[in-house]
Amino acid sequence: MAKEPKDFSYFQGKIVPSKEANVNVQTNALQYGTAVFGGIRGYYNKDLENVFIFRISDHYKRLTNSAKMLQLGFDKSVEELTEITLNLVRECGYLENIYIRPFVYVSSYALSPKLHDLETDFAIYILKLDDYIDTKRGLTTLISSWRRIDDNIIPAISKASGGYLNSALAKSEALQAGCDEAIFLDSRGFVAEGSAENIFMVRDGNIITPPISASILEGITRKSIIELARGLGFTVIERDILRTELYVSDEVFFSGTGAQVAWVKEIDNRKIGNGNIGPITKTLQDIFFNIVKNKEEKFKHWLTPVY
Ligand code: PMP
């Protein structure tokens, strides 16, 4: 039997047992969400006895950019961050699917909600994670009554912790209404994204997804799906989407590090397509799962082996 991995985190510049990675109650980020975070997956391939981290450089580029947007003091390079992460996963000894959560937070006890010239810390914890939302059955969804945060309110593209109150409102609303997930409209009323995933629809064989100007996070899975689909000869269009177009689309699916590629069966009580996974979604989902497990030669450059 595989050995149980050790529960370590990276905290205040070193690897420590997770139970010792605690912040003080006065921490500024705890009051105001003054932090930015990432979410990275590592996939275990049993045959190769290795864990492959998906697009780690892209994730750390985004984290660095998020910190820059919010003026959080953070000077680690992508290479340094990658090295810290690999060392942590190795030290824990994971041989399963994992989710890596790095974040930069205002560790200062400053009372005021501000961002610049405050002490920050960089931390990482790791969880075992298979599906975050079901990828096998179709998801039921609703259009949230909460609008996606606008770039001039809290930049959705920054993956700012405080902005996730917006996601939490929508997710709770969806779950409490008996649905699996919420779909946000942006402040203009166009489709934006899910609470923690980007959205795609298929109409007449074309794959369509909202542009980054629709207050979405620039998803790394989204970018991967676009590249992948275009490589397979599909037309992928980034344009504004009406909620009613979703209702009459042939297929709808989510993409995200947590969500991976998850298909939508229902939106606001309307069945999408014939209520089964659509052929284009199925094709992309199958290839995506092969890629992340290092079974697609052409996409090996998206993966970083841990061991
Ligand atoms: N949108 C939001 C709001 C998210 O939190 C996430 C998850 N990071 C995504 C989209 C998907 O982005 P990615 O593919 O980079 O995980």
Side-chain angles (χ1 to χ4, degrees):
M1 225 175 68
K3 262 199 345 218
E4 199 44 36
K6 293 185 209 120
D7 185 12
F8 289 138
S9 295
Y10 185 82
F11 184 65
Q12 296 178 341
K14 44 183 204 291
I15 294 174
V16 298
S18 294
K19 61 177 185 322
E20 291 169 23
N22 301 310
V23 295
N24 186 283
V25 71
Q26 277 177 259
T27 305
N28 182 278
L30 190 59
Q31 323 297 318
Y32 304 118
T34 43
V36 293
F37 69 98
I40 310 172
R41 268 193 190 262
Y43 287 91
Y44 179 52
N45 179 316
K46 203 165 185 273
D47 299 330
L48 300 174
E49 284 183 48
N50 212 335
V51 174
F52 296 96
I53 303 188
F54 187 65
R55 306 197 75 160
I56 190 166
S57 310
D58 293 280
H59 279 283
Y60 276 130
K61 250 177 249 156
R62 184 171 70 192
L63 186 76
T64 309
N65 281 340
S66 292
K68 181 177 178 182
M69 265 180 245
L70 299 191
Q71 295 185 281
L72 299 182
F74 188 49
D75 57 7
K76 287 194 174 18
S77 68
V78 167
E79 292 71 31
E80 230 177 311
L81 292 163
T82 302
E83 207 42 49
I84 290 172
T85 306
L86 291 173
N87 283 337
L88 178 62
V89 182
R90 287 179 197 134
E91 195 74 29
C92 295
Y94 281 105
L95 282 174
E96 46 245 298
N97 294 333
I98 52 171
Y99 181 84
I100 302 163
R101 166 53 57 81
F103 56 107
V104 183
Y105 64 101
V106 177
S107 53
S108 155
Y109 298 169
L111 183 62
S112 105
K114 68 164 201 162
L115 294 160
H116 70 289
D117 292 344
L118 289 175
E119 195 183 287
T120 60
D121 184 33
F122 169 68
I124 313 176
Y125 66 81
I126 302 176
L127 304 171
K128 292 184 200 178
L129 187 69
D130 292 317
D131 271 0
Y132 162 73
I133 46 177
D134 209 318
T135 54
K136 289 171 203 77
R137 69 174 172 85
L139 304 173
T140 57
T141 65
L142 51 70
I143 302 289
S144 182
S145 68
W146 300 95
R147 291 292 170 96
R148 189 72 184 128
I149 39 172
D150 184 83
D151 194 52
N152 293 299
I153 296 177
I154 299 174
I157 124 176
S158 70
K159 220 165 160 58
S161 297
Y164 277 76
L165 260 185
N166 184 226
S167 292
L169 285 165
K171 183 78 181 185
S172 280
E173 180 183 41
L175 294 174
Q176 288 171 341
C179 289
D180 298 301
E181 189 50 276
I183 298 170
F184 275 120
L185 303 181
D186 67 13
S187 56
R188 303 165 306 156
F190 291 107
V191 174
E193 60 181 339
S195 73
E197 50 281 309
N198 293 112
I199 192 165
F200 289 81
M201 72 168 179
V202 176
R203 288 195 78 187
D204 302 324
N206 295 321
I207 302 170
I208 306 162
T209 194
I212 60 161
S213 48
S215 295
I216 63 166
L217 180 74
E218 275 186 292
I220 289 158
T221 322
R222 173 184 178 275
K223 183 166 82 167
S224 308
I225 292 293
I226 293 173
E227 187 181 329
L228 195 63
R230 286 190 177 141
L232 291 170
F234 291 109
T235 300
V236 184
I237 305 161
E238 291 177 68
R239 67 152 173 87
D240 285 324
I241 296 176
L242 303 168
R243 74 187 285 175
T244 46
E245 279 187 285
L246 289 182
Y247 295 161
V248 295
S249 63
D250 304 314
E251 305 178 30
V252 173
F253 64 90
F254 288 124
S255 73
T257 298
Q260 306 173 101
V261 177
W263 62 283
V264 173
K265 174 172 85 177
E266 197 180 288
I267 304 175
D268 287 348
N269 299 306
R270 277 95 170 159
K271 188 159 73 177
I272 302 306
N274 61 10
N276 294 313
I277 186 165
I280 294 180
T281 305
K282 178 84 174 84
T283 301
L284 295 171
Q285 195 189 53
D286 286 347
I287 296 183
F288 179 80
F289 282 126
N290 279 338
I291 289 174
V292 296
K293 297 242 157 167
N294 203 353
K295 294 179 182 167
E296 292 279 342
E297 195 57 40
K298 224 177 118 194
F299 293 95
K300 278 187 186 311
H301 60 285
W302 282 353
L303 303 174
T304 305
V306 170
Y307 304 104

